[in-house]
């Protein structure tokens, strides 16, 4: 493609990719300037799924926002609840019981595995392979079943609360989780044969959408997207929260920052999550799952924040309390907005098919951006 | 009415019936097989093991209104599905299903099939262009580029086979394989043919003109009702033609162990081979991701065409010696 030809307005085509398009995973709208199959310019348009979560927080008691947290990122909802619970505990100086801390980690990691499985399937679907998503959903279904048993809901688990979790788990759930870990370890071999070593898959992902560490940093990318570029930034390691410092696990890193690396990093993260769950189950303490908390929560006036590592990256909640039982302000920082802002820089001059692959590899959950 | 007219009439009726039957059976098999590959059941609701699913879907599509977008070129938009069906139905008249089950025994049957089949692209292009939809337009452009690129290796490989058989007549090509199937002598030719064939009938992993994750449905985006179903029928028929040709060129056509009423019953061997290849096509579709547009073109021009040329050259030398 010669730029002089591309510059000529005559050959340019405006293409609205989304908000209704199979590969934008929700209601993302990309306004593209195309030259044939090449993308010249890309402008993400947001706001189709905005639900005013932050405003809602300012209108209801502190603990009532636990109903909102899972709905921000429905694919990986527990880390959001975890983050908010940590914030409240920090503000009210409550110490959750040891069993609750372990249960939170088990549930969060299960949720991470479920979310990554969903991503693998959807990413392969973006690349045009229809079969893997059904395998992934089969596995994800097991994780979701366990989470349903633990938390009472399949998608929006409102289970964590200030001072612990609402419900304990029974021996049957422990056995189910162990069975799930065994099953997943066997299933990784299937994924390896079906996807990882597939020549077309490698052709489509190697060297595509390369994110340099500098670019990732300037756009505020976090999570697997950042780690695939080779930067070891995992909040569970760099600023351990909720007892993660007691667990042995690796932070998988990529080297090239391309789509293939992002795939590898997420696959390895699932293995690490399973290892964390196993360790947590091995030394699951007994006792209560919820600390005594006052009936109405009213953190003393001041600013509070907490950060956790979600499946998509850094989740930060930042709150201002004026001492009343309703937050003065709650700001949520979620990973996908930073990750999405990479796309405009990344995809100039890219082929349409590569744009879809790169977009898929970022693991965007659009309602999490819009909130 | 003389006997020739009767023959023409019956062959038209039978071919039309066969085309629809093939689409029904293949549609059902594809969905069932996709189910198997994906560890689910596939259609189960309508009839025993969902066997009536395709007729029901056909009725549903017939009953639906064909929506023509306001800005579309109405006439061409309506014509394109019909045009797509004719180039895939016509080659059926020269395909030798058995020693006698063949409508016309053309001296240049191979050329006829390849020439007519190439028209399918025009229908796809007309559909994509007339719909006045950007995705459809991109799909149409892809389709033209792809089909031009993949027509050439098919021609070169078919030419090598014709050289070995010493004839363009499909019946002669089948008879030339009485001792040894050409797949043994032309293994590379067979592989090149199969890859190009997948691309020719826009099947995954080369289904770029209708790449649903990129172009929603490509040239099919605006089609609904009968227009859509005609395109689907054309796609399955196109698959069948490609597989029939592969059977004739490489797998010994109707040849197989002798059965009673050999002149007719050997069609069983032919259909078994053709549907075996169709199974491979379905298998590939539900296993691989889609290749990228430029990779596809590169693959054709940098690998398939040179290899097919070398293949042709070696074949010519061997035949000459």
């Amino acid at each position: 493609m010669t730029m002089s030809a591309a510059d000529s307005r005559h050959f340019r085509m405006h293409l609205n990719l989304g908000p209704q398009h199979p590969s934008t995973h929700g209601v993302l709208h990309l306004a593209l300037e195309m030259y044939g199959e090449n993308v010249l310019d890309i402008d993400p348009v947001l706001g189709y799924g905005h639900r005013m979560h932050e405003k809602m927080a300012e209108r209801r008691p502190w603990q009532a926002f636990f109903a909102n947290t899972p709905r921000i990122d429905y694919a990986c909802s527990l880390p959001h609840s975890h983050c908010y619970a940590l914030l409240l505990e920090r503000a009210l100086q409550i110490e959750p019981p040891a069993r609750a801390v372990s249960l939170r980690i088990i549930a969060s990691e299960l949720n991470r595995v479920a979310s990554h499985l969903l991503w693998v399937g959807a990413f392969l679907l973006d690349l045009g392979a229809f079969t893997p998503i059904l395998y992934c959903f089969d596995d994800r279904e097991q994780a979701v079943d366990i989470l349903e048993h633990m938390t009472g809901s399949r998608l929006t688990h409102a289970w964590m609360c200030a001072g612990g979790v609402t419900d304990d788990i029974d021996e049957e759930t422990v056995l189910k989780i162990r069975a799930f870990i065994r099953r997943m370890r066997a299933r990784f071999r299937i994924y390896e044969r079906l996807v990882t070593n597939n020549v077309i898959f490698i052709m489509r992902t190697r060297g595509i959408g390369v994110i340099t560490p500098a670019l990732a940093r300037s756009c505020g990318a976090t999570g697997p997207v950042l780690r695939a570029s080779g930067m070891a930034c995992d909040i569970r390691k760099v600023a351990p929260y909720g007892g993660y410092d007691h667990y042995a696990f690796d932070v998988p890193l990529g080297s090239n920052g391309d789509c293939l690396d992002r795939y590898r990093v997420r696959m390895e993260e699932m293995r690490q999550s399973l290892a964390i769950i196993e360790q947590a189950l091995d030394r699951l303490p007994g006792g209560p799952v919820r600390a005594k908390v006052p009936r109405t929560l009213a953190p003393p006036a001041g600013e509070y924040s907490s950060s956790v590592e979600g499946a998509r990256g850094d989740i930060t909640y930042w709150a201002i309390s004026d001492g009343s039982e309703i937050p003065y302000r709650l700001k949520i920082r979620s990973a996908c907005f930073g990750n999405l802002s990479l796309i405009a820089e990344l995809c100039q001059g890219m082929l349409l098919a590569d744009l879809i692959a790169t977009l898929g590899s970022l693991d965007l959950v659009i309602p999490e951006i819009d909130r | 009415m003389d006997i020739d007219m009767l023959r023409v009439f019956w062959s038209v009726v039978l071919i039309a019936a066969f085309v629809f039957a093939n689409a029904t059976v293949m549609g059902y098999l594809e969905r069932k097989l996709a189910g198997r590959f994906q560890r689910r059941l596939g259609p189960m609701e309508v009839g025993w093991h969902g066997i009536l699913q395709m007729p029901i879907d056909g009725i549903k599509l017939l009953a639906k209104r064909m929506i023509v977008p306001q800005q579309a070129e109405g006439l061409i938009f309506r014509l394109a599905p019909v045009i797509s069906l004719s180039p895939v139905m016509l080659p059926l008249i020269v395909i030798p299903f058995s020693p006698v089950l063949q409508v016309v025994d053309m001296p240049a049957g191979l050329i006829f099939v390849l020439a007519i089949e190439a028209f399918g692209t025009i229908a796809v292009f007309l559909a994509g262009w007339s719909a006045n939809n950007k995705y459809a337009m991109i799909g149409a452009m892809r389709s033209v580029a792809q089909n031009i690129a993949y027509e050439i290796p098919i021609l070169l490989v078919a030419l090598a086979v014709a050289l070995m058989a010493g004839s363009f007549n499909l019946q002669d090509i089948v008879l030339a394989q009485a001792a040894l199937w050409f797949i043994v002598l032309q293994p590379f030719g067979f592989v090149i043919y199969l890859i190009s064939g997948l691309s020719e009938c826009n099947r995954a992993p080369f289904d770029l003109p209708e790449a649903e994750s990129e172009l929603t449905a490509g040239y099919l985006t605006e089609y609904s009702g009968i227009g859509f179903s005609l395109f689907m029928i054309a796609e399955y028929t196109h698959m069948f033609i490609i597989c029939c040709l592969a059977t004739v060129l490489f797998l010994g056509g109707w040849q197989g162990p002798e059965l009673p009423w050999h002149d007719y019953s050997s069609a069983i061997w032919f259909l078994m081979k053709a549907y075996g290849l169709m199974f491979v096509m379905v298998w590939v579709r539900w296993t691989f991701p889609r290749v990228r547009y430029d990779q596809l073109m590169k693959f054709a021009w940098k690998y398939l065409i040179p290899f097919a040329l070398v293949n042709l050259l070696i074949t010519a030398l061997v035949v000459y010696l």
Side-chain angles (χ1 to χ4, degrees), chain B residues 48 154 168 216 219 224 288 311:
Chain B
W48 181 78
I154 286 197
F168 280 123
T216 58
Y219 67 95
S224 52
F288 286 112
N311 187 51

Side-chain angles (χ1 to χ4, degrees), chain B residues 31-213:
Chain B
R31 289 165 73 169
K32 257 327 202 198
L33 286 170
R36 294 292 296 179
F37 296 139
Q38 297 168 352
R39 296 188 166 189
R40 54 190 177 86
L41 293 170
M44 285 298 279
E45 293 296 320
V46 195
W48 181 78
H49 279 249
I51 204 147
L52 294 176
Q53 186 67 53
M54 288 313 282
I56 290 288
D57 281 359
I59 290 166
K60 182 199 78 177
L61 283 171
L62 274 177
K64 276 196 168 177
R65 182 177 160 203
M66 182 172 157
I67 299 162
V68 182
Q70 220 163 34
Q71 309 267 305
E73 287 283 334
L75 181 66
I76 298 175
F77 188 80
R78 288 187 179 86
L79 263 181
V82 184
I83 297 175
S84 80
L85 207 53
S86 49
V88 292
M89 278 173 82
L90 267 178
L92 281 172
I93 62 171
V94 292
I95 301 283
F97 291 99
S98 81
V100 292
L101 282 177
Q102 186 184 20
V103 182
V104 193
D105 192 9
M106 269 190 203
L110 182 57
I111 305 278
F112 177 78
V113 174
L114 292 172
I116 295 293
E117 188 194 57
F119 274 102
T121 317
I122 292 178
V124 172
F125 185 75
L126 287 180
W129 176 76
S130 65
N132 192 30
N133 178 312
K134 284 164 184 168
Y135 293 121
M137 188 65 211
I138 295 176
M141 292 192 300
R142 283 180 174 190
S143 162
V144 173
Q146 175 178 345
N147 279 278
I148 288 173
Y150 279 83
E151 203 75 24
I152 300 167
I154 286 197
L155 275 171
L156 293 174
V157 168
L159 209 57
V161 172
L163 266 178
M164 295 185 73
S167 168
F168 280 123
N169 183 313
L170 294 178
Q171 205 67 265
D172 287 350
I173 294 175
V174 172
L175 289 172
Q177 302 175 63
L180 195 59
W181 292 358
F182 282 153
I183 185 173
V184 183
L185 303 171
Q186 293 269 358
F188 292 112
F190 180 68
V191 172
I192 292 172
Y193 179 87
L194 214 58
I195 294 172
S196 315
L198 274 175
S199 177
E200 267 289 280
C201 43
N202 299 334
R203 292 284 294 182
F206 307 121
D207 58 341
L208 294 168
E210 45 186 297
E212 80 278 353
S213 59

Side-chain angles (χ1 to χ4, degrees), chain A residues 111-337:
Chain A
N111 210 178
R112 187 187 313 278
V113 172
S115 169
H116 281 352
L117 279 172
L118 178 68
W119 173 80
V120 172
F123 179 51
L124 266 294
L125 201 59
D126 288 347
L127 294 179
F130 196 84
T131 299
I133 194 170
L134 286 134
Y135 283 74
C136 292
F137 259 80
D138 189 6
D139 288 338
R140 180 176 174 273
E141 191 67 16
Q142 316 296 322
V144 169
D145 275 347
I146 294 169
L147 285 173
E148 183 188 12
H149 203 75
M150 286 171 81
T151 69
S153 53
R154 294 173 62 79
L155 204 63
T156 50
H157 323 277
W159 177 62
M160 297 195 191
C161 56
V165 298
T166 54
D167 292 294
D168 201 354
I169 63 169
D170 49 12
E171 202 48 42
E172 188 197 339
T173 314
V174 174
L175 292 177
K176 272 189 187 167
I177 297 172
R178 286 200 189 277
F180 173 71
I181 293 172
R182 273 197 306 279
R183 175 197 159 100
M184 274 311 292
R185 289 199 170 133
R187 297 281 282 190
F188 282 130
R189 283 197 284 280
I190 295 181
Y191 291 123
E192 221 123 85
R193 276 158 58 194
L194 184 64
V195 182
T196 315
N197 298 326
N198 186 313
V199 60
I200 297 179
F201 171 73
I202 291 174
M203 246 162 60
R204 284 294 307 276
T205 52
R206 179 176 284 160
I208 303 302
V210 176
I211 300 172
T212 59
L215 179 63
R217 191 177 288 179
S218 73
C219 288
T222 47
V225 174
L226 181 64
R227 291 194 285 276
S229 303
M231 289 173 75
C233 177
D234 187 326
I235 308 219
R236 292 175 294 174
K237 276 277 189 218
V238 296
Y241 59 91
Y244 270 107
D245 42 349
H246 301 304
Y247 294 89
F249 64 97
D250 293 330
V251 177
L253 294 179
S255 47
N256 306 322
D258 54 5
C259 291
L260 186 59
D261 269 357
R262 290 194 275 282
Y263 167 81
R264 283 189 179 140
V265 163
R266 288 201 179 90
M267 287 307 264
E268 185 54 33
E269 263 183 28
M270 279 198 262
R271 289 198 178 90
Q272 297 299 330
S273 290
L274 294 181
I276 295 174
I277 298 170
E278 207 162 41
Q279 291 171 44
L281 286 177
D282 284 342
R283 47 175 201 240
L284 188 62
V289 292
R290 193 169 183 190
K292 273 259 171 263
V293 287
R295 188 165 285 271
T296 48
L297 308 179
E303 287 184 26
Y304 307 98
S305 77
S306 66
S307 293
V308 304
E309 183 72 24
R312 280 156 202 81
D314 171 19
I315 299 167
T316 299
Y317 278 52
W318 174 74
I320 301 179
S321 171
D322 54 4
S324 72
E325 57 194 56
I326 292 173
Y328 176 76
R329 175 82 172 92
L330 181 70
K331 167 81 184 118
I332 302 161
R333 190 256 183 231
S334 65
C336 285
F337 186 78

Side-chain angles (χ1 to χ4, degrees), chain B residues 216-269:
Chain B
T216 58
Y219 67 95
L220 286 171
T221 304
E222 296 288 0
Y223 277 96
S224 52
I226 187 70
F228 177 77
S229 47
L230 282 181
F231 268 116
M232 291 322 281
I233 292 169
E235 185 186 320
Y236 282 124
T237 316
H238 201 165
M239 271 171 77
F240 183 70
I241 297 290
I242 293 281
C243 293
C244 282
L245 207 56
T247 310
V248 169
L249 294 179
F250 297 101
L251 299 178
W254 40 261
Q255 309 213 25
E258 198 92 2
L259 293 172
W261 300 295
H262 173 74
D263 279 357
Y264 295 94
S265 62
S266 49
I268 292 172
W269 298 122

